[in-house]
Amino acid sequence: MKLSFNLLKPLILSSIVLGTTSCKRNIDEDVELDVDTSIMVVDAQVEVSMADIDNIADQAEVFTSVTKKTEDILSCVTLTKDTIFGSSHDTVNIVVDFGNTNCEGIDGHNRRGIIKVTSLLEKITGFKKERKIETVDYYMNDIKIECGRKLVYAGQNSSNQYFWTLSAASKIFYSSTDSATHSSERTYTFTSGILTPFDISDDKWTIEGNGQGIRKDGNNYTVLITEPLLKAGDCIYIQEGKIKYTVDNARDFTIDYGAGSGCDNKVDLIYDGGTKVITID
């Protein structure tokens, strides 16, 4: 999940956090999930889904291709860029088109549809002031994702770190009858790697904020990041931090991404005083 908020870098490369939206869930062999717990896993998958879209936008901004695709079906993704030059800022309009049929990526996921990216860059430095993302008939593993995301540069904090604010809303259609909605307000702070603009391995971001939505089962929920999330290097997964979900008419729970566990997709699902290890991929 790599996000893009590089400041003095010519272009911002990263992957937020927050993309891979397969509803597929792999559960450790010793874990048996009831219906409510299974929905918790789906809730956790929303974070991965949004991060995947951010990752694709990052690649499209910086490169001339999207590496989600496999080498033998390169033609399944069409990437176009149109730059409108201004006196102080340039507007870059990007369209990532996966086509009308499923395109299998190197990550094993199938995508189709369009992701549109609009970035506002300072003319001389390439510093990103704003980025908008929207999807058009976009599907991941036959799950439709309607998404709108806006990232805005917000200045420097008391530690002289650059940060951006994100406002986002999404609706995920698991079937014709099952869907879920999610919205969030978050702050992304760039904490390491600014001096090496072409090496993303030392990049680090922290993510804080809250959100709310309606689950697949129809219950309302709120989200609070209780311990800042950490995105580091080119790892597509969040590596540290906790998110607490408070759910109407169901059990509250916490997703714990661990600390110092390296780049992996296993997280702790904490509820009712117990912990279960799940895989969100």
Side-chain angles (χ1 to χ4, degrees):
M1 302 175 181
K2 182 110 183 135
L3 260 191
S4 146
F5 335 120
N6 211 329
L7 33 179
L8 303 176
K9 298 187 174 184
L11 285 173
I12 304 171
L13 179 62
S14 55
S15 357
I16 202 177
V17 92
L18 320 188
T20 309
T21 187
S22 149
C23 190
K24 167 185 79 175
R25 37 191 189 277
N26 303 316
I27 308 303
D28 288 3
E29 291 181 0
D30 59 343
V31 175
E32 217 172 291
L33 300 183
D34 57 26
V35 173
D36 185 36
T37 311
S38 297
I39 295 177
M40 293 180 190
V41 178
V42 175
D43 294 338
Q45 196 66 48
V46 172
E47 295 289 338
V48 184
S49 303
M50 295 304 103
D52 184 67
I53 290 174
D54 283 314
N55 292 346
I56 292 171
D58 291 339
Q59 293 181 25
E61 279 183 336
V62 178
F63 304 122
T64 57
S65 63
V66 175
T67 59
K68 298 285 184 184
K69 59 184 181 293
T70 56
E71 293 184 2
D72 58 335
I73 49 174
L74 291 176
S75 61
C76 73
V77 178
T78 301
L79 177 63
T80 58
K81 294 184 180 181
D82 176 34
T83 302
I84 302 173
F85 298 99
S87 58
S88 60
H89 296 87
D90 293 339
T91 302
V92 183
N93 296 306
I94 301 171
V95 176
V96 182
D97 189 349
F98 288 93
N100 297 322
T101 58
N102 282 337
C103 168
E104 183 179 359
I106 55 178
D107 55 6
H109 298 299
N110 288 288
R111 299 172 180 85
R112 66 182 187 269
I114 293 173
I115 297 174
K116 292 184 177 181
V117 184
T118 303
S119 293
L120 184 65
L121 309 176
E122 285 188 353
K123 195 170 188 64
I124 298 176
T125 64
F127 176 71
K128 182 178 296 179
K129 304 294 290 187
E130 181 178 296
R131 180 172 78 178
K132 296 179 182 178
I133 300 174
E134 63 176 319
T135 58
V136 180
D137 292 327
Y138 179 74
Y139 291 78
M140 166 91 101
N141 297 331
D142 295 322
I143 297 170
K144 185 177 182 180
I145 304 172
E146 293 181 351
C147 165
R149 301 171 71 75
K150 184 176 182 180
L151 188 72
V152 179
Y153 174 63
Q156 292 176 269
N157 60 20
S158 58
S159 301
N160 294 321
Q161 296 169 325
Y162 295 83
F163 68 99
W164 285 253
T165 58
L166 176 78
S167 55
S170 62
K171 186 169 185 177
I172 301 177
F173 298 86
Y174 300 101
S175 69
S176 60
T177 57
D178 288 331
S179 63
T181 62
H182 182 77
S183 62
S184 60
E185 299 290 334
R186 294 186 175 179
T187 299
Y188 293 86
T189 304
F190 191 84
T191 62
S192 175
I194 187 173
L195 298 180
T196 54
F198 299 106
D199 179 8
I200 63 174
S201 64
D202 61 352
D203 290 356
K204 289 185 180 180
W205 301 265
T206 58
I207 306 162
E208 300 174 274
N210 53 45
Q212 54 279 318
I214 303 175
R215 308 169 87 197
K216 184 181 177 186
D217 61 4
N219 289 326
N220 294 318
Y221 69 91
T222 58
V223 174
L224 178 65
I225 297 176
T226 57
E227 294 183 10
L229 308 180
L230 171 68
K231 275 294 292 107
D234 55 1
C235 178
I236 66 171
Y237 302 107
I238 296 171
Q239 292 170 272
E240 295 182 13
K242 294 181 180 180
I243 305 178
K244 181 179 180 180
Y245 287 72
T246 302
V247 186
D248 291 351
N249 305 312
R251 290 176 290 189
D252 299 341
F253 65 98
T254 295
I255 298 172
D256 185 353
Y257 290 93
S261 58
C263 181
D264 62 54
N265 57 352
K266 294 186 181 298
V267 301
D268 289 338
L269 194 64
I270 304 170
Y271 64 98
D272 292 346
T275 301
K276 291 183 178 180
V277 179
I278 63 172
T279 301
I280 49 172
D281 192 33

